Amino acid sequence: AKAKPVAAAPLKPVAAPVPNSKTFSELEDEISSLKNHISKMESERSEIFENSRRRQKDFENYKSRTERERSETFVNQISNLAMQMLPVLDNMNRALDFAVHVPDDVTNEFRQFFDGIILVNQQLNEVLGEMGVSPISSVGETFNPHLHEAVAIEETENFPPQTISAELLRGYRVGEKVIRASMVKVAAPVKAKSVSVIKTESDDDIFQLETE
C-alpha cells in the first residue's frame, strides 16, 4: 500500500514586538527610585549591624563586670575569714619560736606537745594556701609601704639601707590584696662617730669625747 502524504501544519504568524509604552524620563525616575530604595536598605543594614555590635559589646562589658564583682566578693569573703584565723596562726608561730629555744633535756611528753603544734601549724598554713592566702616576704626585702609597716628603724651594717632587717609580725595577702601588712624593722646606715680632743692647760691631760 502506498503511504499517504502528511500535510504540514500551517505556520503561525510571529507576533510583532509590543513597543515600550514608558518614556525615557519615566525609566530614569524608576531607576532613581530603585537606587534610593537600595541606599535606604543599606543604611538600615548598617544600623542593624551597628546596634548588634553595640549590644554584643555591652553584653561583654556586663559579663566582665559581673565576673569582676564576683571575684571581688570572693576575695572579700576569703579576707574576712583569714583575718579571723590569723590570730590563731600568730599564736602558733610564737609557740614554735619558743620551742626552738627549749633545751634538749626536756621531757618526751613536752617534745610531743610541740610536735603536735608544728603539725597543726602546717595544716593551717596549707588550708590558707588553698584559699589563696600567702605570707608577705619581709626580711631582706626592700621596704614597700604598700606591703610593710615600719615600726622601728635599726642602725645596722648587716643590711643595706631601706632594707627590712627584722619581722615583728608577719603579713598576709590574697592575690594582690593585702589583708594585713607586715610589721617590720627597717635598716638604716650606722652614723659615724667623731672624736673630739680636748686639751687642758697642761698638755699631759687630754680628754677624748665621742660624739655622733
Side-chain angles (χ1 to χ4, degrees):
K2 295 181 179 180
K4 295 181 179 180
V6 179
L11 297 175
K12 295 182 179 180
V14 179
V18 180
N20 192 354
S21 59
K22 295 184 179 180
T23 62
F24 183 75
S25 177
E26 292 176 345
L27 290 175
E28 286 184 343
D29 293 340
E30 186 175 353
I31 293 174
S32 178
S33 178
L34 291 174
K35 287 183 178 180
N36 292 334
H37 185 65
I38 293 173
S39 177
K40 183 178 180 181
M41 293 179 63
E42 290 179 349
S43 178
E44 291 177 353
R45 185 190 65 177
S46 300
E47 185 178 356
I48 293 173
F49 176 77
E50 183 66 22
N51 291 335
S52 177
R53 188 183 66 82
R54 189 181 300 110
R55 290 179 180 178
Q56 180 68 22
K57 186 176 181 179
D58 292 341
F59 176 74
E60 292 177 356
N61 293 335
Y62 169 76
K63 184 178 179 181
S64 300
R65 185 173 63 254
T66 303
E67 292 293 334
R68 184 172 60 254
E69 292 176 353
R70 183 182 303 173
S71 177
E72 291 176 356
T73 302
F74 176 76
V75 170
N76 292 333
Q77 292 176 350
I78 293 297
S79 301
N80 294 333
L81 179 60
M83 284 296 296
Q84 297 178 5
M85 298 174 63
L86 288 183
V88 179
L89 186 60
D90 295 336
N91 292 330
M92 286 189 176
N93 290 331
R94 295 187 185 99
L96 293 178
D97 294 338
F98 174 77
V100 174
H101 304 287
V102 173
D104 296 335
D105 56 351
V106 295
T107 61
N108 188 30
E109 291 79 5
F110 194 68
R111 177 60 60 185
Q112 290 179 356
F113 172 73
F114 278 108
D115 291 340
I117 294 180
I118 293 174
L119 181 60
V120 174
N121 184 71
Q122 291 177 351
Q123 292 177 345
L124 183 57
N125 279 283
E126 291 176 357
V127 171
L128 292 176
E130 293 176 355
M131 293 166 55
V133 181
S134 59
I136 298 176
S137 301
S138 56
V139 178
E141 300 289 336
T142 303
F143 176 76
N144 186 348
H146 300 289
L147 303 177
H148 310 119
E149 181 180 353
V151 296
I153 297 177
E154 181 181 11
E155 295 184 5
T156 177
E157 296 178 352
N158 298 328
F159 295 91
Q162 298 299 320
T163 303
I164 298 173
S165 59
E167 180 185 69
L168 304 180
L169 184 63
R170 185 166 301 172
Y172 293 87
R173 63 183 178 182
V174 180
E176 298 298 328
K177 181 180 179 180
V178 178
I179 59 178
R180 188 179 73 183
S182 298
M183 295 184 181
V184 297
K185 288 183 179 180
V186 181
V190 178
K191 295 181 180 179
K193 295 182 179 180
S194 60
V195 179
S196 300
V197 178
I198 301 176
K199 294 184 178 181
T200 62
E201 294 180 356
S202 175
D203 294 338
D204 296 335
D205 298 331
I206 299 177
F207 297 95
Q208 293 183 354
L209 300 178
E210 293 184 355
T211 59
E212 294 183 355

